[in-house]
Amino acid sequence: MITQIKLHDCKSELREADLRATPTRLGVLQILETATTPLDVTTILSELRKKGIDPDKATIFRMMHSFLQKGLVREINLSESKNRYEYRGKGFHHHLICQVCGVIEDMDDCNIDIWEKELRKKKGFIVKRHSLEFFGLCKNCQN
Amino acid sequence: MITQIKLHDCKSELREADLRATPTRLGVLQILETATTPLDVTTILSELRKKGIDPDKATIFRMMHSFLQKGLVREINLSESKNRYEYRGKGFHHHLICQVCGVIEDMDDCNIDIWEKELRKKKGFIVKRHSLEFFGLCKNCQN
DNA sequence: TGACATATGCAATTAAATTGCATATACTAA
DNA sequence: TTAGTATATGCAATTTAATTGCATATGTCA
């Protein structure tokens, strides 16, 4: 059963991160792992309800903090009034956000590393992380 | 008098943007033009009070909308819970944000244009704007 | 100077995120 | 399997950024 393996994976993933494997956390992890775009807390909540889990939003906000701290998720900021979260296991990538329909595409290749070395040399600044997002028009919205 | 010339510049800048040159707007423009980092609305308000101007925050939020629409400022998002605004006349650049002391440095050179052409070819995505920010440790905070 | 579109003040409201505290539950060790 | 304990959750209140409606004030142009 794929689902069982999946659940087991999530469980050990949480345990390895020193986090208790509660049903809500397992549900959130599963949702984030299968999501095709970064999700905000409200969306995570409504996805959870579809699974029959209905926690308080404070729980999810606190969960995102601990997930973030343990490195399970990344916080994504797309110039909205809210944060989004993305499963970190997917690997690092940037986003293409359509300003018309709002669709979010991934962009895998990123060679900013070169810049980071330059910044260290030129400015003495040590880069720990960076964010790069492109806003514009997706294929369908160009008319 | 440099100040007079400056004020005159701000005034015509606003008029050219089809915006009325009110004292509050002139003050905000002057503050943004002399600022060394992008400012949030709360900071703009307290800077205004130092000048003896004390408007409502709603006014500044609305002002940022019109300034943004007219292209006088850029909206900067540094993964905070609030927006910052930067005078657009300074030209486009990215930021280095120290995760320890919070200092924000500018980074002038940006050759993302090359990427934009690639994105158009590979993904059919037309880039209208992008945001690139580096988070890490400034020279003083590396110990 | 007067008319009028625009800008502002004020107050109420929305939405994201945080916090304190009591209760519930997952994990560990016996 | 169970009891003890640290951790997670629920609930309610609160904070902060941002928005909105509406009445009033003000900049601009004729």
Side-chain angles (χ1 to χ4, degrees), chain B residues 34-137:
Chain B
T34 55
T36 56
T37 62
L39 304 179
D40 62 6
V41 168
T42 308
T43 307
I44 292 171
L45 271 168
S46 65
E47 289 299 313
L48 280 173
R49 285 194 205 101
K50 288 181 193 166
K51 288 174 179 283
I53 309 173
D54 188 18
D56 193 83
K57 57 180 160 50
T59 302
I60 308 300
F61 277 112
R62 276 187 282 229
M63 198 180 292
M64 290 306 103
H65 279 292
S66 43
F67 280 16
L68 205 57
Q69 197 199 341
K70 299 295 185 178
L72 293 178
V73 299
R74 246 190 304 272
E75 201 173 55
I76 308 291
N77 219 277
L78 304 181
S79 300
E80 300 163 308
S81 53
K82 63 195 171 190
N83 289 326
R84 287 171 182 264
Y85 299 90
E86 189 171 67
Y87 182 56
R88 207 150 178 275
K90 294 188 174 177
F92 189 66
H93 57 261
H94 302 298
H95 301 99
L96 313 176
I97 303 107
C98 179
Q99 292 170 326
V100 178
C101 68
V103 73
I104 302 171
E105 287 181 69
D106 287 352
M107 186 200 149
D108 291 328
D109 42 315
C110 166
N111 53 353
I112 295 279
D113 329 5
I114 306 155
W115 295 34
E116 302 191 354
K117 281 172 199 160
E118 279 223 352
L119 284 172
R120 195 162 202 152
K121 246 192 286 176
K122 278 190 189 170
K123 300 236 178 190
F125 189 93
I126 298 177
V127 176
K128 290 290 181 183
R129 73 177 189 89
H130 71 267
S131 81
L132 170 59
E133 318 291 353
F134 294 92
F135 302 85
L137 301 172

Side-chain angles (χ1 to χ4, degrees), chain A residues 23-32 39-61 63:
Chain A
T24 308
R25 280 181 178 167
L26 290 171
V28 171
L29 255 192
Q30 206 184 337
I31 287 165
L32 287 174
L39 304 179
D40 63 7
V41 168
T42 308
T43 307
I44 292 171
L45 271 168
S46 66
E47 288 299 312
L48 279 172
R49 285 193 205 102
K50 288 181 191 166
K51 287 175 178 284
I53 310 172
D54 187 18
D56 192 82
K57 58 179 158 54
T59 302
I60 308 301
F61 277 111
M63 198 180 293

Side-chain angles (χ1 to χ4, degrees), chain A residues 24-129:
Chain A
T24 308
R25 280 181 178 167
L26 290 171
V28 171
L29 255 192
Q30 206 184 337
I31 287 165
L32 287 174
E33 281 182 19
T34 55
T36 56
T37 62
L39 304 179
D40 63 7
V41 168
T42 308
T43 307
I44 292 171
L45 271 168
S46 66
E47 288 299 312
L48 279 172
R49 285 193 205 102
K50 288 181 191 166
K51 287 175 178 284
I53 310 172
D54 187 18
D56 192 82
K57 58 179 158 54
T59 302
I60 308 301
F61 277 111
R62 277 188 282 231
M63 198 180 293
M64 291 305 104
H65 279 289
S66 44
F67 279 17
L68 205 57
Q69 195 198 341
K70 300 294 184 179
L72 293 178
V73 298
R74 248 189 303 273
E75 202 172 57
I76 308 291
N77 219 278
L78 303 182
S79 301
E80 299 163 308
S81 53
K82 63 196 172 190
N83 289 326
R84 288 171 181 264
Y85 299 90
E86 188 170 68
Y87 182 57
R88 206 151 179 276
K90 295 189 176 179
F92 188 67
H93 58 261
H94 301 298
H95 301 98
L96 312 177
I97 304 106
C98 180
Q99 291 170 326
V100 177
C101 69
V103 73
I104 302 171
E105 288 182 69
D106 287 351
M107 185 202 149
D108 291 328
D109 42 316
C110 165
N111 54 351
I112 294 281
D113 329 4
I114 306 156
W115 295 35
E116 302 191 355
K117 280 173 198 160
E118 279 222 353
L119 283 172
R120 196 163 202 151
K121 248 192 284 177
K122 280 191 189 170
K123 299 237 179 189
F125 189 94
I126 298 176
V127 176
K128 291 290 181 184
R129 73 177 188 89

Side-chain angles (χ1 to χ4, degrees), chain A residues 13-29:
Chain A
E13 201 176 356
L14 285 168
R15 306 306 327 286
E16 278 162 30
D18 270 314
L19 295 172
R20 294 187 177 174
T22 68
T24 308
R25 280 181 178 167
L26 290 171
V28 171
L29 255 192

